[in-house]
Amino acid sequence: MSQTPSDLGTPSTSPSVTAAPANVVSIAKLADHVGETVRVRGWLYNKRSSGKLHFLEVRDGSGIVQAVVFKGNVSPELFTAADHIQQESSIEVEGLVKEHGKIKGTYELDAKDVKVVAPTAREYPISPKEHGTDFLMDHRHLWLRSKRQHAIMRVRHAIIKAVRDFFDENDFTLVDAPIFTPNACEGTSTLFQTDYHGDPAYLTQSGQLYMEAAAAAFGKVYCFGPTFRAEKSKTRRHLAEFWMVEPEVAYMDLAGDMVLAENFLSFIVARVLETRRKELEVLATEKRPDDPEWWTRHMKMLENCKAPFPRITYHEAIDILQKNGHTDAKVGDDFGGDEETTISKQFDRPVIIHRYPIDLKAFYFARDPANPKLALNMDVLAPEGYGEIIGGGEREADLARLESAIAEHKLPREAFEWYLDIRRYGSFPHAGFGLGIERTVSWICGLSHVRETIPFPR
Ligand code: 4AD
Ligand code: MG
């Protein structure tokens, strides 16, 4: 059998890695089997009947296919039984693969046999009618089976694959960062403390400090893993557990960091547009009655997401705010969701804001030599009010200044001795950033809440 490229742009290693029995076919591959009798194994997604026909919508994770059970083709017992299968029972359908009469590129099964592998023990709680988000969140383990959640997770997968491909193809080395850590990287107010054999340890907020050590060993590195923040605020952009990818590069400055960030984000968006159009179309159906044009606008923003991105300083961002309704905005303020929305609305693609007041920023940032009150940092804001998706910048390379910063931030010095070693033994300019996967998925999918972007949100 010839190898076909997978939908993520890389050749599949083997056509039958899971060793499925003969003539069992995944729904996504039905196009290769027109005119053959195959078996599809999955779950009953939906069902309707009209006289001599039952239409069973079967899903198997790779797609959904309509199996047509025609009274004249099956035994009377089977025809009656097919009408009584409950939604989400696991079933196997054997049938002839045909191209759909009306919709080109769509296939259906002319059913010859339908077997119930396991009926449902009770009525499936998620029916096609509208449910509230709280109810759906309580049933997240089942909600994942729905078309919309399926589409979001497939986009998430494509984004993560693009993240890895980008760094792997650009000579970065993957260095995994630990989850238990003695260090507070992003401030002590959002730490989850655990008991590590009698000593406190924190769930990591960021792998950055470890990537700085790794950059001295490998030059260009990245980590990708779960990170944790005990966020006090419940917003549509914050999770307690989220996934972050963090590149760090030796001898890169802030300007280089911005170029890396814009090329990286452009690459991710282009990959999604290339491989996940169908999934985006599923998401386009989300109702926004007050704004019927939003999806067209959203897709245009995605198409536009090409480097270079506009760059503005923090001070220019304050000006934008003052001129756009935030009359009391002043230098020294941090930006919340509303401010980020106002700023991003001025641009047709992501925007980079750089050089924030150092007092607003974490201890590790380098100061701008031209104005030591400013950090050599940058944030990338997604368009359409999705807010900050990337944060990063140049790190303080000077040992004495870093020691003072640790003291000023009232961080426990002992926990950072190893980190100071990076400055003691061959200090070097370096920079990096972190991109939050969930906020990126949320923006690309056009979602209103970040909780739908991760399989099991916390
Ligand atoms: O801006 P942050 O806090 O930066 C860091 O953690 C740096 N140490 C990264 C680095 O330079 N290596 O977080 C980076 C990104 C944010 O831009 C956002 O996308 C995401 O992580 N993020 C969150 N996503 C979901 N829920 C939260 N509570 C998040 N906090 C940050
Ligand atoms: Mg940030």
Side-chain angles (χ1 to χ4, degrees), residues 186 229 340 361 364 377-379 388 390-392 434 439:
E186 295 300 325
R229 306 264 170 111
E340 287 178 353
K361 290 285 139 193
Y364 50 71
N377 82 303
M378 57 117 194
D379 281 351
E388 178 202 327
I390 290 180
R439 289 201 192 161

Side-chain angles (χ1 to χ4, degrees), residues 378-420:
M378 57 117 194
D379 281 351
V380 180
L381 306 192
E384 306 166 80
Y386 279 90
E388 178 202 327
I389 53 174
I390 290 180
E394 208 173 314
R395 320 307 184 186
E396 181 55 78
D398 181 81
L399 177 62
R401 279 204 297 269
L402 189 56
E403 285 173 327
S404 331
I406 289 172
E408 277 160 29
H409 284 257
K410 301 197 168 53
L411 294 166
R413 173 67 185 258
E414 328 73 71
F416 291 88
E417 282 302 328
W418 70 270
Y419 181 67
L420 291 167

Side-chain angles (χ1 to χ4, degrees), residues 293-347:
E293 291 302 310
W294 81 276
W295 188 261
T296 314
R297 224 169 41 234
H298 176 65
M299 287 305 287
K300 198 156 174 274
M301 283 290 183
L302 295 183
E303 305 280 357
N304 256 352
C305 181
K306 295 194 176 95
F309 297 162
R311 291 155 168 66
I312 57 171
T313 63
Y314 168 89
H315 284 75
E316 286 165 338
I318 294 285
D319 277 348
I320 290 178
L321 288 173
Q322 287 169 346
K323 290 190 184 117
N324 289 277
H326 301 255
T327 40
D328 49 358
K330 56 184 185 314
V331 170
D333 292 352
D334 208 351
F335 303 142
D338 292 345
E339 288 80 14
E340 287 178 353
T341 300
T342 302
I343 298 164
S344 70
K345 284 205 166 141
Q346 317 301 315
F347 301 93

